Amino acid sequence: MSDSTALVRAAVIGCGDISAVHLAAIAARPGTRLVAIADTDVGRREAASATHAVPGFATLTELLDAIEVDVVHITTPHSEHAPLAIEALGRGVNVLLEKPFAHSLEAGRALADAVAAPGAGKLALCFQNRYNTPVRALFDRLRSGDLGEIRGAVGTVLWHRTADYYRNRPWRGTWSGGGGGLLMNQAIHTLDLLQWMLGPVEQVSGSASTRSLADVIEVEDTAEMLLTHAGGAQSVFFATLANSRNAPIEIQLETEHAVATLRGDLTIEWADGRVETVTEPVTATGERSYWGVSHELLIDHFHSTLADPEPFWIGVDAGLDTLTTINAVYDASFPDRAARTAVKETAE
């Protein structure tokens, strides 16, 4: 087992929106100290460096050449995830990687190879919703057998994004920068939970389209799919950014003995009439409450197990599973996306 009392020296690479959650979690953990940040944008870099009183660097390479770190948190645009993680892992540095695992399946496979290389650091993927108390309770009930056989599931993500959300960070709406839209950026957490609970996806039938933001983005804002999981259970999934608000994400499982619904809290309606509820003890508030409350739990867990020889429990498999499912939908709906990206990059 690792020595959870050892000081963990952490750096954050990328100082955009989601970095604030990581920086707060690092500050809240007694056994971790922030030692540096990096961002290619001068304004963001200087602001973060001043706010947190640590050195700021333009690149990961410069940071690792100058500062001893135990773990880097990568919170950059998606297209930078795999290259930065591969560089850090190759230098023996541990990596906590924001989702997605990579912006393409090809890049994801290269990252998986880097994780497996001799001397590589450990990698954790930030699918933090697995740490939500109601989610854990449902997973434990499924694995215990109390609920019986899983007959099927439904997952929905009904959220809202404005044109300005993409204009403010143009990479989000592009294949080259984001690797996709809704499925890669917002709905990926719910897809991960479905695959975690029902098992790996063996067959995908689905489509993705741009329904409300086509004048701003080239990627999808709406998607639907039917997933067949190992063992034969199926899940139906629908997600959109065209809703009028960020509604609570919902996952409903029909099992042999009950219907279980995750909608913030967990409600289990048993076949014998009993109703059981498991609530989230800490509730997120504010404009970005949909990010949930569990980043801090995942980060604490990873930092406390850095010295353990075993891989972190959310890593390569979880990353490639979601990428493979999403890639199948993209291949069916946007078969020319690679060519369009190449044309755009040539023009630029």
Side-chain angles (χ1 to χ4, degrees):
M1 293 296 291
S2 65
D3 178 6
S4 60
T5 64
L7 178 68
V8 174
R9 299 163 296 182
V12 173
I13 315 303
C15 299
D17 292 348
I18 194 62
S19 69
V21 179
H22 289 255
L23 289 163
I26 290 169
R29 186 174 189 272
T32 296
R33 178 165 59 91
L34 182 71
V35 295
I37 59 91
D39 198 298
T40 56
D41 182 272
V42 176
R44 287 198 300 266
R45 180 170 70 246
E46 291 181 348
S49 177
T51 298
H52 300 283
V54 295
F57 299 88
T59 68
L60 172 64
T61 302
E62 292 175 6
L63 187 153
L64 294 180
D65 285 345
I67 302 288
E68 290 287 334
V69 298
D70 300 301
V71 58
V72 294
H73 291 228
I74 296 176
T75 59
T76 59
H78 299 169
S79 62
E80 300 171 17
H81 283 193
L84 290 172
I86 289 170
E87 178 181 354
L89 292 165
R91 297 180 64 162
V93 176
N94 303 297
V95 172
L96 199 157
L97 183 62
E98 259 298 338
K99 55 76 187 166
F101 188 61
H103 78 299
S104 71
L105 190 54
E106 179 183 14
R109 288 170 176 156
L111 177 51
D113 289 342
V115 173
K122 293 177 66 169
L123 180 137
L125 180 60
C126 207
F127 281 154
Q128 76 280 353
N129 289 345
R130 294 192 187 192
Y131 285 80
N132 294 354
T133 299
V135 171
R136 294 291 308 183
L138 177 54
F139 181 82
D140 290 344
R141 284 299 185 90
L142 289 169
R143 291 302 175 265
S144 73
D146 292 350
L147 294 170
E149 180 184 352
I150 300 174
R151 293 175 174 168
V154 177
T156 58
V157 179
L158 308 177
W159 279 6
H160 178 74
R161 290 293 182 272
T162 65
D164 283 344
Y165 169 83
Y166 291 98
R167 293 190 182 109
N168 291 338
R169 297 283 192 276
W171 65 266
R172 291 170 172 161
T174 66
W175 293 110
S176 61
L182 160 77
L183 290 175
M184 289 288 261
N185 205 359
Q186 288 87 22
I188 194 169
H189 288 290
T190 309
L191 281 173
D192 170 63
L193 293 183
L194 286 171
Q195 296 187 158
W196 183 43
M197 292 182 184
L198 276 72
V201 171
E202 295 185 339
Q203 185 175 344
V204 181
S205 175
S207 64
S209 58
T210 315
R211 300 291 182 88
S212 66
L213 293 162
D215 58 334
V216 183
I217 64 176
E218 62 185 18
V219 295
E220 87 288 357
D221 59 30
T222 301
E224 54 80 26
M225 60 184 78
L226 173 65
L227 307 175
T228 302
H229 300 262
Q234 291 187 320
S235 61
V236 177
F237 182 75
F238 177 76
T240 186
L241 298 177
N243 198 32
S244 59
R245 66 186 181 98
N246 291 315
I249 290 170
E250 183 169 311
I251 294 177
Q252 187 172 86
L253 275 68
E254 181 188 1
T255 70
E256 184 179 358
H257 302 307
V259 174
T261 303
L262 281 168
R263 186 179 168 88
D265 296 336
L266 168 65
T267 302
I268 302 177
E269 300 172 278
W270 295 92
D272 62 10
R274 290 177 295 135
V275 177
E276 180 182 351
T277 302
V278 178
T279 61
E280 180 62 64
V282 181
T283 303
T285 60
E287 182 181 356
R288 295 194 173 100
S289 60
Y290 50 79
W291 278 348
V293 298
S294 294
H295 274 90
E296 189 170 322
L297 296 175
L298 185 151
I299 290 167
D300 177 66
H301 189 190
F302 185 52
H303 285 202
S304 69
T305 58
L306 289 179
D308 288 353
E310 301 84 5
F312 192 67
W313 74 287
I314 309 176
V316 170
D317 289 345
L320 289 181
D321 283 351
T322 52
L323 278 183
T324 300
T325 298
I326 292 169
N327 190 71
V329 175
Y330 286 165
D331 282 349
S333 304
F334 300 97
D336 63 339
R337 66 189 185 282
R340 285 196 288 170
T341 298
V343 169
K344 181 177 180 180
E345 289 177 346
T346 300
E348 292 174 348

